[in-house]
Amino acid sequence: MTRNRLPVVLATALALLAFAGNSLLTRAALAGGGIAPDSFAAIRLGAGAAMLLAIGIGRGLAVRPRAADLPGIIALFAYAAAFTRAYVSLGAATGALILFTSVQMTIVAGGLVGGAFLSMRQGAGILIALSGLAWLLAPGVTATPTLGAAALMTAAGVAWGVYTLIGRGSGAAIARTARNFIGTIPLALVLVAMAGLDGTPTAIMLAVASGAITSALGYVIWYSVLPSLSAVTAASLQLLVPVITALGSLIWLREPLTITLAGASLLILAGVAMTLRRS
């Protein structure tokens, strides 16, 4: 490894850890009932907006939300709200796996709608990934996620996939992300007005960390290294996020790694990896 590649490798590792950290922090806060999901989502979005506002001002970026940002703002808010509610009952590893699969399938579907060609390998990969997801969610399987929670996490993945498609190809990614987070504040305030704002000090700190560190700083780091990565490499690296989350949940949250979760994970990750190849 050359010295000029080392910063890229380290930054990429930090970004992937941050993405996995979002699942771990959210599940840790919600598992013990220390905070309501809407309160967590509102604090996360507020903390992320504050951090990105400070970064944007420091860099002289345009961070005031615009009318053109509205689709991204809505998609980001929908992701955050559904993501948090899903983690009330989903384990961190299971949630990350469902989220990741939904994101990738949404991006693939968006490409097809846009006229992209689906090779036989990619088609087979989609079927394999979906079979793994079906195994994970099959009724009667030990520790099967509830369909409601799985549906919420799938919706979160679709929303994040749409958010990704909306922002694809546009420049000034950090400024756009800052505007989107800031633009969600009125929607977050509606959540607070409807459900109130409460939580234990620990859960609130986890929500702040999720917004300011693993979300805001994680995205800034990721966007800083993306120009150094090919599209396929960037997508492939994200295959590591559910794996990192599973390890983190095993060590930190003491969640069991079942045979079903391990087997379904292998099928899903193998299938998604196949969709990233052309031939």
Side-chain angles (χ1 to χ4, degrees), residues 45 52 68-80 102-103 106-107 155-170 172-184 215 219 222-223:
L45 290 170
L52 288 166
D69 297 318
L70 188 57
I73 290 169
I74 293 173
L76 176 61
F77 177 79
Y79 150 75
S102 303
V103 170
T106 301
I107 292 174
V158 171
W160 188 255
V162 170
Y163 180 80
T164 302
L165 291 170
I166 290 172
R168 177 178 284 178
S170 60
I174 295 175
R176 184 184 70 250
T177 303
R179 292 197 302 270
N180 288 332
F181 263 84
I182 293 168
T184 63
S215 292
Y219 299 158
W222 179 246
Y223 289 132

Side-chain angles (χ1 to χ4, degrees), residues 90-161:
L90 281 180
T94 302
L97 194 61
I98 296 173
L99 175 75
F100 175 81
T101 306
S102 303
V103 170
Q104 295 302 320
M105 292 300 104
T106 301
I107 292 174
V108 169
L112 293 176
V113 171
F117 171 73
L118 188 68
S119 69
M120 290 185 64
R121 180 192 293 270
Q122 290 173 313
I126 290 174
L127 291 178
I128 291 173
L130 292 178
S131 68
L133 189 61
W135 180 15
L136 182 67
L137 302 178
V141 174
T142 303
T144 299
T146 63
L147 289 180
L152 279 170
M153 191 58 81
T154 299
V158 171
W160 188 255

